Amino acid sequence: MVSVINTVDTSHEDMIHDAQMDYYGTRLATCSSDRSVKIFDVKNGGQILVADLRGHEGPVWQVAWAHPMYGNILASCSYDRKVIIWKEENGTWDKMYEYTGHDSSVNSVCWGPYDFGLILACGSSDGAISLVTCSGDQQWDIKKISNAHTIGCNAVSWAPSVVPGSLIDQPSGQKPNFIKRFVSGGCDNLVKLWKEEDGQWKEDQKLEAHSDWVRDVGWAPSIGLPTSTIASCSQDGRVFIWTCDDLSGNTWTAKLLHKFNDVVWHVSWSVTGNILAVSGGDNKVTLWKESADGQWACISDVNKGQGAVSSIADGATNEQ
């Protein structure tokens, strides 16, 4: 049984497109078509508006918290073609950096694992994906994957830095071999995997199963088990779970989680990577868990119209 533990009156003046808890679960960032980003303290069931960030000139689609070891940093992306990175200093939020390198709406932002430093992936309707990296002293390096998805990129999600199988196979004292990888979804109906080799980003895999725009992708967190897992959802109403068991990462298999009757906007993994939240045009959030026999089953069914926010997964509150 999943229950609604809290609702937040954001006072946004238009549709909310994303809501993300920070690392500690004590702050909530929201963004809206009203062009604003808001940050709330949500400790002890209360809600206090701590910041109302204005800097975008169009609907703000997504927000993403950086790891707290770098301070309180939030990225936001918008229809206005901009990515803004905000930082809190002495209780005041200000722009840390503004990236304007895309020619169309920026639809998705996702911070890489903290092991890689401050690195942000940005997916845009211009078809490109940008990697924005802080190289220290407020200097930012940009790498761009042009034409990553024809017509446009809708979503990006980083692979965990934990190497698959390292929980079992890692020799003691040996540093793990970190590889930068992320997954993207686009208007070409494709899910694509990318990895960095010798400082250059290359397409690693192309996963085909969806018959319409891929709306969101989510690479599941890992505790070091041998399997890598990705969820993808689409305009076609389908959610697929992609798994890869071979350590070379070359063979991915797709399993249909469910076929919904409407567009599916968002997929979001729990921290431990074993529960998936799915939200769609039916105005519901559903939670799914894999059983021992490998079948995925719905463990909850919550109507967002009742003010529901999933207590387990973050960020599955789109299009309410």
Side-chain angles (χ1 to χ4, degrees):
M1 177 64 192
V2 172
S3 56
V4 178
I5 55 170
N6 197 6
T7 58
V8 177
D9 178 11
T10 64
S11 298
H12 276 298
E13 293 165 9
D14 207 332
M15 188 180 289
I16 298 166
H17 296 293
D18 199 16
Q20 296 286 344
M21 303 292 289
D22 72 350
Y23 180 85
Y24 299 110
T26 59
R27 283 190 163 179
L28 174 72
T30 61
C31 61
S32 164
S33 279
D34 68 7
R35 307 179 177 191
S36 74
V37 173
K38 297 191 181 192
I39 298 170
F40 299 87
D41 269 325
V42 288
K43 296 188 200 72
N44 308 318
Q47 61 172 79
I48 301 164
L49 178 67
V50 293
D52 186 342
L53 306 178
R54 307 269 172 169
H56 284 294
E57 296 154 32
V60 188
W61 301 129
Q62 209 167 54
V63 285
W65 292 94
H67 191 278
M69 71 180 287
Y70 300 107
N72 288 331
I73 294 175
L74 184 75
S76 58
C77 62
S78 167
Y79 182 76
D80 66 6
R81 311 191 292 275
K82 289 192 293 195
V83 174
I84 299 178
I85 297 171
W86 312 84
K87 183 167 187 179
E88 183 186 37
E89 300 269 17
N90 304 318
T92 303
W93 286 86
D94 282 309
K95 279 186 197 178
M96 182 184 185
Y97 179 67
E98 190 171 295
Y99 175 58
T100 56
H102 283 289
D103 302 322
S104 191
S105 172
V106 184
N107 303 317
S108 184
V109 282
C110 185
W111 291 103
Y114 70 88
D115 317 70
F116 302 142
L118 268 180
I119 178 167
L120 184 73
C122 318
S124 169
S125 291
D126 64 11
I129 297 171
S130 293
L131 286 306
V132 181
T133 307
C134 183
S135 53
D137 301 328
Q138 301 273 3
Q139 293 298 307
W140 296 83
D141 295 330
I142 311 296
K143 285 184 178 166
K144 195 186 251 193
I145 305 169
S146 298
N147 205 27
H149 290 274
T150 51
I151 328 176
C153 176
N154 294 323
V156 285
S157 177
W158 284 85
S161 60
V162 179
V163 179
S166 60
L167 182 69
I168 302 160
D169 301 331
Q170 194 65 48
S172 59
Q174 186 177 327
K175 284 199 83 171
N177 177 28
F178 291 137
I179 303 168
K180 289 183 188 151
R181 292 191 298 167
F182 68 88
V183 60
S184 62
C187 303
D188 51 9
N189 309 350
L190 295 175
V191 174
K192 289 188 177 184
L193 276 54
W194 307 86
K195 77 173 172 187
E196 190 185 51
E197 285 180 358
D198 304 322
Q200 297 299 313
W201 285 94
K202 297 191 167 79
E203 184 181 312
D204 191 38
Q205 291 281 317
K206 190 182 289 181
L207 307 180
E208 299 183 56
H210 289 291
S211 58
D212 207 335
W213 290 13
V214 179
R215 283 295 180 181
D216 200 13
V217 287
W219 202 312
S222 169
I223 57 168
L225 294 173
T227 303
S228 297
T229 306
I230 292 170
S232 64
C233 66
S234 166
Q235 196 79 26
D236 65 16
R238 292 184 294 176
V239 176
F240 281 100
I241 306 294
W242 304 85
T243 53
C244 177
D245 297 319
D246 72 291
L247 294 180
S248 62
N250 293 327
T251 309
W252 289 81
T253 54
K255 177 177 275 189
L256 181 64
L257 176 98
H258 190 68
K259 169 76 170 78
F260 292 85
N261 294 324
D262 209 332
V263 54
V264 184
W265 294 111
H266 265 323
V267 285
S268 177
W269 290 100
S270 64
V271 175
T272 48
N274 65 336
I275 294 173
L276 181 72
V278 178
S279 73
D282 60 1
N283 218 34
K284 284 183 179 179
V285 178
T286 51
L287 302 185
W288 300 77
K289 191 172 185 187
E290 189 178 17
S291 57
D293 62 356
Q295 297 303 308
W296 287 83
C298 183
I299 57 169
S300 85
D301 193 351
V302 183
N303 278 318
K304 283 193 292 188
Q306 298 165 358
V309 177
S310 158
S311 60
I312 295 174
D314 59 359
T317 51
N318 189 47
E319 304 296 330
Q320 58 202 37

